Amino acid sequence: MRRRGFLLGGLLWAGGAGAQGMPGDPDPRLVAAANRLALAYVVTGDTRLDEISRQGLEGLSQGLTLRTTVEPGPPVAIDLDRDDLSMLTFLYWPVSDTQPMPSPQAYVRLNRFLRSGGVILFDTRDGDLAGTGAPDASAALQRLAAPLD
């Protein structure tokens, strides 16, 4: 998995090296994420939830570094309506009831990401509440995931 992200990131970076800062050049944070196998998360618009996602993936990255040979870089926040997903391999998507639907173009990117071997981990964050009658995010998950192939 690391080799795929490294090679793709390296090829895209090398292709734009002569014209840095030009339109169409890869986003430097995404190139760095591909080179370091950084974990990425979807920005939901809820600043509290986005910070929890960042901190959680940062802790997971530190755990991987301490206990395995994987040494991920810092987590990367992804705006589905703007960012190119082609250099990523893993995307954490915290689901909330208030999260706006991504644009149709974002779903094109997401479907391309999935077809190329990318993995999305949807987190409804309600696993410990199952069977208690507490609200769950399954309807929000179904709504967000419905346009995916």
Side-chain angles (χ1 to χ4, degrees):
M1 186 184 304
R2 181 179 176 148
R3 186 184 333 158
R4 176 181 167 257
F6 177 77
L7 289 175
L8 182 57
L11 288 173
L12 290 172
W13 181 79
Q20 293 180 1
M22 299 297 292
D25 283 352
D27 184 331
R29 0 171 253 118
L30 298 179
V31 171
N35 286 335
R36 297 277 322 268
L37 190 68
L39 303 175
Y41 63 96
V42 173
V43 173
T44 65
D46 177 336
T47 55
R48 182 176 166 273
L49 180 56
D50 294 342
E51 181 60 15
I52 290 169
S53 297
R54 186 194 63 74
Q55 288 178 3
L57 292 180
E58 193 171 89
L60 178 58
S61 296
Q62 290 171 358
L64 287 170
T65 299
L66 291 172
R67 298 173 187 214
T68 71
T69 58
V70 177
E71 297 181 12
V76 178
I78 297 297
D79 179 338
L80 294 174
D81 288 323
R82 188 182 71 229
D83 291 327
D84 177 12
L85 305 177
S86 67
M87 291 181 270
L88 304 173
T89 55
F90 176 83
L91 187 59
Y92 172 76
W93 191 337
V95 176
S96 80
D97 291 331
T98 60
Q99 185 174 356
M101 287 289 288
S103 70
Q105 184 59 33
Y107 279 106
V108 168
R109 287 188 193 99
L110 285 162
N111 283 319
R112 191 177 310 129
F113 170 75
L114 291 169
R115 280 193 300 274
S116 69
V119 174
I120 301 173
L121 172 66
F122 291 96
D123 185 359
T124 57
R125 301 168 298 110
D126 59 0
D128 59 339
L129 302 175
T132 66
D136 67 39
S138 59
L141 172 60
Q142 289 176 0
R143 178 178 56 87
L144 289 171
L148 296 173
D149 291 343

